[in-house]
Amino acid sequence: MRLDKLLSNLGVSSRSACRDLIRKGRVSVNGSVCRDGAFHVPDDAEVALDGKKMDTRVERHLMLYKPAGCLTAAEDKSSKTVMDLLPNQYRTLGCMPVGRLDKDTTGLLILTTDGDLAHRLITPRYHVDKVYFARVDEPLTKEDETAFSQGIELKDFTCMPARLERVEDTLGKVTVQEGKYHQVKRMFGARGKRVLQLHRASFGTLVLDEQMQPGDFRELTEKETTALYRAAGKTNE
Ligand code: URA
């Protein structure tokens, strides 16, 4: 990839501003200053800006602890969105949420620049588990567990078999492989129960980091990234 394009893709600045930086000799490739924006950067090259080595991975992946009260959307005129919780650089890089959590749902949200990975993670075909904890308004029963495992029938579709485990009387751990609109809430609704709180604890192999607080985010580690790609039947090499 051209050096100016690489820098702007990495969120440094606009393409023309990156060309300026390069012309001024602030960028080096494999230890030598490069003043040519059109220079083709080899895949494994070390690129530094003002002497500081840059992370040149093209695809970027984040975990965000979504707090209640913000929308899973790129932007919204009246409400705060998950993108408002991130530095602008990630928007520039093209990080987008993988699927949606409702405004009042908390927990793990993945954001990635890899659209194909995002698609695979949310498509039931790849059988990627999403685990939620749901606090409901009525005690859960054995019959609820059986109904979830058989595939709950909603007005417009029949859910795939899911797993419901009773953690407490009114707290259930739910594992689903699909993510239709309000799905978990609607599944409980079909059993005559209202979800009072919903929290996503994991998505595929990725577990919400217990050090994180609502609103926090971090990049995935290499190990987490590799495992997630594998869960989606893809490789990140
Ligand atoms: N199911 C729901 O009902 N809401 C969510 O936010 C996620 C899954």
Side-chain angles (χ1 to χ4, degrees):
M1 186 183 295
R2 284 173 60 118
L3 182 56
D4 53 2
K5 184 161 193 267
L6 177 70
L7 293 185
S8 76
N9 282 3
L10 292 173
V12 171
S13 197
S14 67
R15 191 86 165 259
S16 63
C18 288
R19 269 198 291 272
D20 271 354
L21 293 175
I22 296 165
R23 243 182 264 125
K24 287 180 180 150
R26 292 175 57 188
V27 180
S28 63
V29 179
N30 287 333
S32 308
V33 170
C34 176
R35 293 177 190 270
D36 178 10
F39 176 75
H40 183 87
V41 185
D43 282 349
D44 55 353
E46 198 175 291
V47 179
L49 172 63
D50 296 330
K52 199 165 159 244
K53 191 175 169 261
M54 300 189 71
D55 187 347
T56 53
R57 282 172 302 158
V58 176
E59 302 292 8
R60 305 289 278 269
H61 320 282
L62 304 176
M63 74 159 76
L64 170 81
Y65 188 156
K66 183 192 168 297
C70 77
L71 287 179
T72 311
E75 53 188 323
D76 191 82
K77 284 200 184 78
S78 47
S79 290
K80 188 171 174 156
T81 76
V82 291
M83 297 308 289
D84 295 328
L85 299 169
L86 303 175
N88 229 347
Q89 125 197 46
Y90 292 105
R91 203 189 280 267
T92 315
L93 286 169
C95 268
M96 293 299 289
V98 176
R100 274 168 193 271
L101 291 176
D102 296 336
K103 190 170 181 182
D104 58 353
T105 301
T106 58
L108 176 60
L109 185 69
I110 302 173
L111 295 104
T112 179
T113 53
D114 185 341
D116 180 53
L117 174 68
H119 171 73
R120 286 164 177 256
L121 289 171
I122 54 182
T123 306
R125 182 149 73 93
Y126 292 96
H127 301 286
V128 178
D129 284 344
K130 290 101 190 160
V131 178
Y132 296 87
F133 285 91
R135 176 69 67 186
V136 294
D137 64 342
E138 295 276 341
L140 295 163
T141 63
K142 199 86 205 129
E143 289 72 37
D144 292 331
E145 292 181 343
T146 307
F148 271 57
S149 72
Q150 289 173 346
I152 298 267
E153 256 187 61
L154 299 177
K155 232 193 262 163
D156 47 341
F157 78 104
T158 303
C159 302
M160 286 167 62
R163 196 162 61 242
L164 169 64
E165 297 158 72
R166 276 178 298 169
V167 180
E168 292 169 13
D169 255 13
T170 57
L171 182 66
K173 179 181 174 192
V174 183
T175 307
V176 291
Q177 293 186 339
E178 50 191 355
K180 299 243 169 45
Y181 184 62
H182 290 334
Q183 178 155 350
V184 174
K185 291 176 185 165
R186 291 173 70 201
M187 287 164 82
F188 279 108
R191 298 293 307 160
K193 293 174 171 87
R194 201 159 67 85
V195 173
L196 306 175
Q197 277 174 352
L198 189 61
H199 176 84
R200 183 156 68 195
S202 68
F203 194 135
T205 48
L206 197 62
V207 179
L208 183 63
D209 188 331
E210 57 186 34
Q211 308 292 325
M212 286 170 63
Q213 301 296 317
D216 288 352
F217 74 93
R218 69 161 170 81
E219 298 228 7
L220 300 193
T221 64
E222 218 167 304
K223 203 168 152 197
E224 286 168 338
T225 304
T226 302
L228 197 63
Y229 269 79
R230 202 168 288 153
K234 193 174 152 84
T235 161
N236 56 331
E237 265 139 35

